[in-house]
Amino acid sequence: MTENAIFTPSRAALTIALLVLPQASILEVASALDPLRNANRQLRQEAFRWRVVTPDGAPAPLTCGLSLPSSGPLAAAEGAEALIVIAGYRLDEVATRPLIRELRRIAPRFALVGGIDAGPWVLARAGLLDGHRATVHWEDQEDLAARHPEIDVVPDRYVIDRNRVTIGGAAPAQDFMLHLIRARHGAGLARQVALSFLSTVRPGGEPQLSRPGTDPAMDPRVARAAARMEARLDAPESTAETAAAVGLSPRRLEVLFRQAFGTTPGAHGLALRLQAARRMLAETQHPLAEVALRTGFTSPATLSRAFRKAFGQPPGALRRP
């Protein structure tokens, strides 16, 4: 992980501009800003400053239905040391060509440019991640790597590479801000901020998805089985194969799954695959045949039947005009 001068000890105030796109998550905005606010409170000084900008300067409608006030359009971010893009859904609508051009123009004026959740997609479209290691929300990692082979996509919580930072989502955004606080003001302050949120300091190199067996409330064998299903959406195993892989009989695995999830291993795996298919249909332009292949269905017709049974509508109903 290569970092820049922003991550060196300093008592000087650091200004961060957040470019919040419509249909972003309020949790990601809060995860980016609240650690900085708390650090200022702990230090009793304005060690961190921030401003929120939007593509046109108007309040940004968020996924929760609230609108986030803005200090102005993207040009109002100038003068900050760092610019971080927070994006969520409907990128084809909100990440417009004029915005991409303006982002490409203004990016060299910042010591650090980054993105949270779908923000790395926006940076990638602007060519700002070419030749860099980067991450994105785990649901989009495969697509980002396929669409932009010039980017080294990794599954980390956040990645700092020279003057770029990419962050997988809301919880990793807090992790990154704690890292920034620690780098500039010491481990003690970062720990105090984390404790204020009943959280811990987690390194960026950890995977976004929990390792099997890390949920203390779940039988570790069930956790490993569930993780296998999540990792094999395109090539699902039979219940017998999954059970053998985690050292259980199929019947015992079914009993434990009912206790943990209230359903059978087969039904749980099918639900994971259908949810993945629904996300791809709603948020990408992949053909139905590709969606079926990538979610473990033998044909588009098989996916369509399972989709209609689960959601009461055909897959095509989720395609935006």
Side-chain angles (χ1 to χ4, degrees), residues 14-233:
L14 178 73
T15 302
I16 297 176
L18 296 183
L19 171 60
V20 181
L21 272 58
Q23 298 305 308
S25 164
I26 194 171
L27 185 59
E28 286 156 358
V29 176
S31 295
L33 293 183
D34 256 8
L36 306 181
R37 173 201 58 78
N38 191 280
N40 287 349
R41 182 177 71 85
Q42 301 276 359
L43 289 170
R44 298 187 179 182
Q45 70 180 71
E46 196 178 44
F48 298 97
R49 300 170 181 161
W50 53 86
R51 65 187 71 152
V52 173
V53 300
T54 55
D56 57 2
L62 303 178
T63 53
C64 64
L66 298 178
S67 291
L68 185 69
S70 169
S71 298
L74 177 55
E78 292 196 47
E81 285 83 9
L83 172 67
I84 297 179
V85 181
I86 302 181
Y89 298 101
R90 295 161 57 179
L91 280 188
D92 287 340
E93 296 177 27
V94 301
T96 62
R97 289 184 179 180
L99 176 65
I100 295 299
R101 286 197 299 269
E102 177 67 2
L103 184 61
R104 188 183 297 121
R105 180 192 69 81
I106 203 173
R109 305 187 182 187
F110 301 93
L112 183 73
V113 175
I116 297 174
D117 196 345
W121 271 108
V122 181
L123 301 183
R125 291 182 182 185
L128 298 176
L129 295 180
D130 291 0
H132 289 77
R133 293 178 72 250
T135 193
V136 70
H137 189 277
W138 66 269
E139 292 178 329
D140 294 328
Q141 288 168 8
E142 184 178 345
D143 281 343
L144 183 65
R147 190 78 62 87
H148 295 278
E150 65 279 5
I151 302 172
D152 180 14
V153 180
V154 296
D156 299 4
R157 295 176 70 80
Y158 66 84
V159 175
I160 304 166
D161 187 356
R162 290 162 284 173
N163 59 349
R164 298 289 184 263
V165 59
T166 47
I167 302 166
Q174 177 178 281
D175 298 335
F176 167 73
M177 292 304 174
L178 290 171
H179 172 77
L180 177 62
I181 292 166
R182 176 174 180 159
R184 293 181 69 86
H185 296 279
L189 178 62
R191 176 173 168 77
Q192 284 301 114
V193 173
L195 289 174
S196 296
F197 297 108
L198 303 181
S199 184
T200 58
V201 180
R202 298 184 63 178
E206 286 191 5
Q208 291 180 26
L209 298 180
S210 298
R211 293 185 177 90
T214 57
D215 185 347
M218 184 180 295
D219 186 300
R221 296 166 296 182
V222 173
R224 291 198 301 274
R228 289 182 68 86
M229 294 176 185
E230 293 163 1
R232 291 167 171 77
L233 296 180

Side-chain angles (χ1 to χ4, degrees), residues 299-313:
S299 69
T302 305
L303 169 59
S304 295
R305 285 193 296 271
F307 197 94
R308 187 184 292 272
K309 183 177 180 180
F311 303 122
Q313 59 182 352

